[in-house]
């Protein structure tokens, strides 16, 4: 099967529109996916579920669809947008430029099976894990967005912000 070719995001259309999910369980653990370069599993990181919008779908629709595809979790209460971030990073031989919106979501469903992964995702997602804020703070793993532990702690301490917070642009 040929490798999936990501769209070219350097054109006039601007950055790829992405919806991500900060999914919390009843114990306030956050679900992160474990990703890596398709041809180099040692080049790895953790990230929130989510992905690009398809067709005319809204960011909310994309957030729920991506969450279901990547985790199998569908019993979700989608909340407000917490953060917005612009980022640019190399992955699978291409540069990805993205405008990401991070939605708060809550679920009691802590198990699921990823059945909707693309071919590229099957080659680059190694699994998922629920993290406590304390585990995330103490971890030396690479996590995106950077400073997620502090962002999560603030969310748990203060609740969702009144308006989405714009995070620093990240260029990797």
């Amino acid at each position: 099967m040929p490798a999936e070719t990501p769209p070219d995001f350097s054109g006039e259309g601007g950055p790829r529109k992405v919806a991500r999910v900060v999914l919390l369980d009843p114990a306030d653990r956050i679900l992160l996916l474990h990703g890596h370069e398709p041809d180099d599993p040692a080049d790895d990181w953790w990230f929130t579920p989510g992905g690009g919008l398809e067709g005319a779908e809204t960011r909310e629709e994309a957030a729920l669809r991506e969450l279901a595809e990547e985790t199998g979790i569908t019993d979700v209460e989608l909340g407000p947008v917490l953060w917005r971030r612009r980022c640019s990073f190399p992955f699978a031989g291409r540069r990805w430029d993205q405008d990401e919106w991070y939605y708060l979501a809550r679920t009691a469903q802590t198990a699921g099976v990823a059945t909707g992964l693309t071919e590229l995702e099957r080659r680059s997602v190694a699994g998922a894990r629920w993290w406590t804020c304390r585990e995330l703070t103490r971890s030396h793993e690479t996590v995106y967005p950077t400073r997620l532990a502090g962002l999560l702690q603030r969310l748990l301490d203060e609740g969702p912000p009144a308006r989405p917070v714009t995070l620093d642009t990240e260029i990797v």
Side-chain angles (χ1 to χ4, degrees):
M1 175 178 279
E4 176 180 324
T5 303
D8 182 3
F9 300 114
S10 60
E12 291 180 27
R16 177 179 186 231
K17 293 180 181 179
V18 171
R20 297 209 163 278
V21 180
V22 176
L23 185 63
L24 301 179
D25 74 359
D28 286 334
R29 297 180 304 166
I30 184 171
L31 182 67
L32 297 178
L33 302 179
H34 190 204
H36 59 81
E37 273 294 328
D39 297 323
D40 185 6
D43 184 2
D44 69 329
W45 56 87
W46 293 88
F47 64 101
T48 58
L53 277 63
E54 292 181 356
E57 74 183 344
T58 66
R59 289 205 197 230
E60 293 87 355
E61 291 166 339
L64 293 171
R65 176 186 50 76
E66 285 284 341
L67 185 64
E69 290 174 358
E70 294 176 347
T71 69
I73 296 175
T74 57
D75 184 14
V76 172
E77 180 184 329
L78 192 64
V81 177
L82 300 170
W83 315 308
R84 291 183 62 180
R85 173 181 88 138
R86 291 285 300 265
C87 61
S88 180
F89 54 91
F91 174 69
R94 300 286 301 264
R95 176 145 297 270
W96 297 72
D97 296 314
Q98 299 190 157
D99 174 20
E100 300 180 336
W101 291 17
Y102 289 78
Y103 286 86
L104 174 61
R106 293 255 179 203
T107 188
Q109 180 185 348
T110 57
V113 177
T115 57
L117 297 179
T118 66
E119 189 271 334
L120 179 58
E121 288 169 330
R122 284 191 298 276
R123 295 189 304 123
S124 61
V125 177
R129 175 181 163 197
W130 290 95
W131 294 72
T132 66
C133 191
R134 184 176 187 179
E135 290 169 334
L136 201 52
T137 300
R138 292 181 172 186
S139 175
H140 296 290
E141 302 274 346
T142 301
V143 177
Y144 295 110
T146 57
R147 300 182 316 127
L148 181 59
L151 292 166
L152 179 60
Q153 187 64 62
R154 185 172 182 180
L155 172 65
L156 296 176
D157 289 346
E158 300 175 12
R163 285 185 220 96
V165 173
T166 300
L167 305 180
D168 292 338
T169 298
E170 291 189 50
I171 299 174
V172 178

